Amino acid sequence: MSNAAPSLHRQLFIWLLMPQVVLWLAAALFTYKLAEHYTNAAIDASLSQTSRTLARQVKPLDNGLFIDFPRAAQDILEADPSDRVLYTVSMPPGQFILGNRNLPALPKNAKPVYGEPYFYDGTLAAVDAASDTDAEPHSMGKKSASRSQPVRLRVAALLLRYGTAHSPDSPGQSMLVQVARSSTNREALAGQILLDTVLPLSALMALMTIIVWGGVRTGLKPLALLQRQVEGRAANDLTPIKIDAAPPEVRSLALAMNSLLVEVNHNVVAQKRFISDAAHQLRTPLAGLKSQTELALLDAKDPELRARLQLVHSSATRSAHLVNQLLSLARAEPESASQQARQKFDLSQMAREITTEMVPRALAAGVDLGFESPDLGASKPVRGFESLLREALVNLIDNAIRYAGRGASVTVRVYAQANQILLEVEDNGPGLPESELAHVFERFVRATHDGTGCGLGLAIVREIVERHAGRVQLLPVQPHGALARVELPAAGQG
């Protein structure tokens, strides 16, 4: 499972977006509560007026109450056909006079004031209209249609006194007028206000989200620029990172990286200087040792002494070859290659010249060395380090001559294929087992212990070819032999 930290873009975006979401939810809740408050205020005002109007239709007499509830009063209550209006007139504690018997009673903790409406919410149980209303015309039978489920109501209760007070302990009788409306319209109105408010808020939040995302990307743009500078440079490029107009946080990071690059460059230069100086210092005594052993071999008459001198001469020759190969490998390293200038040159012409130069070496080894070009006369330009590619081709030809054996033939060819230039060195020697072909380009790996090789020739070739964004491989040849193929991008292609 990956332990990588989440994206900095994502973290900043989430932390900036979370307060917006919280504020959006808070605004939606506040808007709904505010809409509910004002719709309740409007409905409460209507219920207050209706309850007072209904109370005026019930007039006290000496021996009871006179109910004057004409059809016009019913029409006033039924003015809104989409809203359910219910009412009850009663004499506390529970003596029903007219209206709907099932209106929710006053809450137990209610403390209504005489002459002032008291408002509360309640639920009307699901009952049949025929059983819950008075049979008189004022029973609003048209409004009391059959119900199949409970109805939430907003109720106004008006408590009034009537009659004559006989004593302080007997202040007269009380009358309770209750008028209720369904909460459906109230909730619908509050929901519509909420919807009309939330939609613009949502659009505004979407716009703010886009602005925040753009701000995060703009704010982190210096980091993206730093990333491109680091990703786009070559492995051997140790030049300082350039961020002139970056904010202090990114500038500090760039300065720290530049300090590290400077230290690495100093170490690389010191290492390169040490390798070069050591190799040059070794060259002179090894060359002198070879010369002295050659002279000693000419003067030596004792067979045992000559055999020992021959071993010393072979060791000196191998050591000198190893030093030269190490110097070539050091020149092929990325740090050394970065100090050289790339140039455009004709690879076919260079291969022809090197082949000609190495003909004496091939003749001495009894090998037939030749050069061919399928499209003779055509230019084969590549861009790179000519000295390094020359070193690579010399190593390939030397390897083929060294291990092909007497009587073998070695052919060097250069040709174009699509956007690549192919350089091949083919021999018809004994070749190598296929199991060893993939390992021969590793350092100090030798496919055979014959000769004076040190296992660095093909490693140098691979290092040089990779510096030129190319590829090298060793392939078998039928019926026997080996083919070293180098693929390089043509000039202008890489």
Side-chain angles (χ1 to χ4, degrees):
M1 184 174 63
S2 176
N3 294 325
S7 166
L8 189 58
H9 282 86
R10 184 180 301 174
Q11 290 189 69
L12 289 176
F13 181 69
I14 290 175
W15 282 106
L16 290 174
L17 191 62
M18 282 177 60
Q20 296 185 55
V21 174
V22 173
L23 289 176
W24 182 84
L25 293 175
L29 180 61
F30 175 78
T31 300
Y32 183 78
K33 292 298 182 183
L34 189 64
E36 190 178 46
H37 169 74
Y38 282 111
T39 52
N40 278 342
I43 292 176
D44 289 352
S46 174
L47 291 175
S48 175
Q49 182 180 3
T50 303
S51 63
R52 293 183 184 276
T53 302
L54 182 58
R56 287 195 292 268
Q57 308 306 315
V58 182
K59 301 174 183 178
L61 297 176
D62 292 339
N63 57 349
L65 295 173
F66 174 71
I67 301 174
D68 183 12
F69 195 56
R71 184 64 184 176
Q74 296 185 44
D75 292 340
I76 293 175
L77 294 178
E78 298 172 2
D80 186 2
S82 64
D83 198 2
R84 185 182 296 276
V85 180
L86 303 173
Y87 65 92
T88 295
V89 179
S90 61
M91 296 175 62
Q95 184 178 355
F96 174 77
I97 299 177
L98 76 158
N100 192 300
R101 297 178 181 272
N102 297 310
L103 282 185
L106 282 167
K108 294 181 179 181
N109 58 349
K111 297 180 180 179
V113 179
Y114 283 95
E116 296 294 333
Y118 178 84
F119 303 97
Y120 61 95
D121 293 315
T123 302
L124 181 63
V127 295
D128 184 71
S131 63
D132 68 348
T133 55
D134 196 342
E136 297 297 325
H138 49 64
S139 63
M140 297 172 55
K142 183 168 67 175
K143 278 293 181 181
S144 301
S146 296
R147 295 183 300 276
S148 60
Q149 59 182 1
V151 179
R152 297 177 59 193
L153 301 175
R154 181 68 173 173
V155 186
L158 180 62
L159 187 62
L160 300 172
R161 286 194 180 98
Y162 73 94
T164 304
H166 302 290
S167 65
D169 297 334
S170 180
Q173 293 180 306
S174 298
M175 178 177 64
L176 179 63
V177 179
Q178 294 171 279
V179 179
R181 282 180 180 271
S182 170
S183 299
T184 302
N185 285 1
R186 179 190 66 177
E187 294 172 353
L189 179 59
Q192 186 62 43
I193 294 176
L194 176 64
L195 183 63
D196 293 342
T197 307
V198 167
L199 285 179
L201 283 177
S202 300
L204 181 60
M205 183 178 175
L207 179 61
M208 290 181 64
T209 301
I210 296 174
I211 295 174
V212 167
W213 177 248
V216 169
R217 291 183 61 86
T218 302
L220 296 179
K221 190 175 182 180
L223 284 179
L225 178 60
L226 176 63
Q227 179 183 358
R228 286 196 297 271
Q229 289 193 41
V230 174
E231 289 180 346
R233 61 173 52 200
N236 56 3
D237 187 0
L238 299 178
T239 57
I241 299 171
K242 297 180 181 179
I243 298 185
D244 300 326
E249 295 81 3
V250 179
R251 189 179 297 114
S252 299
L253 176 61
L255 290 176
M257 294 183 64
N258 287 339
S259 300
L260 178 61
L261 290 175
V262 169
E263 293 180 5
V264 171
N265 190 45
H266 287 167
N267 292 335
V268 168
V269 171
Q271 182 182 17
K272 174 193 170 188
R273 187 183 299 113
F274 171 77
I275 294 175
S276 179
D277 293 344
H280 281 294
Q281 291 297 325
L282 287 173
R283 266 181 166 179
T284 302
L286 287 174
L289 180 61
K290 284 181 62 179
S291 300
Q292 292 299 323
T293 54
E294 289 173 356
L295 292 175
L297 283 170
L298 293 176
D299 296 335
K301 304 301 182 182
D302 185 4
E304 292 185 4
L305 180 59
R306 287 184 61 85
R308 291 177 182 177
L309 289 175
Q310 187 63 47
L311 290 176
V312 174
H313 183 268
S314 298
S315 298
T317 302
R318 181 172 295 180
S319 298
H321 180 67
L322 174 61
V323 169
N324 290 330
Q325 294 288 64
L326 287 173
L327 277 175
S328 299
L329 186 60
R331 287 194 299 268
E333 293 287 346
E335 297 78 14
S336 299
S338 64
Q339 308 299 324
Q340 306 178 38
R342 288 179 178 265
Q343 56 184 351
K344 186 177 180 180
F345 60 94
D346 188 348
L347 184 63
S348 179
Q349 180 64 30
M350 186 191 75
R352 185 189 302 275
E353 294 174 357
I354 295 175
T355 304
T356 303
E357 293 172 1
M358 297 196 68
V359 166
R361 163 83 172 85
L363 291 175
V367 174
D368 180 16
L369 176 63
F371 175 83
E372 66 180 35
S373 178
D375 46 353
L376 190 61
S379 179
K380 303 293 184 301
V382 295
R383 185 179 299 277
F385 309 112
E386 184 175 2
S387 61
L388 293 182
L389 287 175
R390 177 179 291 272
E391 182 74 27
L393 182 54
V394 168
N395 273 280
L396 288 177
I397 297 176
D398 182 74
N399 228 48
I401 293 174
R402 189 184 303 271
Y403 298 110
R406 286 189 171 274
S409 62
V410 176
T411 303
V412 180
R413 65 176 66 93
V414 180
Y415 59 96
Q417 188 176 77
N419 294 326
Q420 291 184 322
I421 305 299
L422 273 64
L423 169 65
E424 295 181 348
V425 178
E426 181 181 351
D427 68 79
N428 60 354
L432 292 173
E434 293 190 14
S435 60
E436 297 182 5
L437 294 178
H439 304 287
V440 293
F441 291 99
E442 298 176 5
R443 297 183 182 186
F444 301 105
V445 173
R446 299 181 61 192
T448 176
H449 294 285
D450 298 335
T452 59
C454 56
L456 284 176
L458 293 180
I460 293 172
V461 173
R462 184 182 65 176
E463 193 74 36
I464 293 174
V465 172
E466 289 179 352
R467 293 283 73 76
H468 291 78
R471 186 179 68 157
V472 60
Q473 53 185 333
L474 192 62
L475 304 173
V477 175
Q478 299 299 330
H480 54 81
L483 171 66
R485 176 178 294 162
V486 175
E487 302 175 7
L488 296 172
Q493 303 297 327

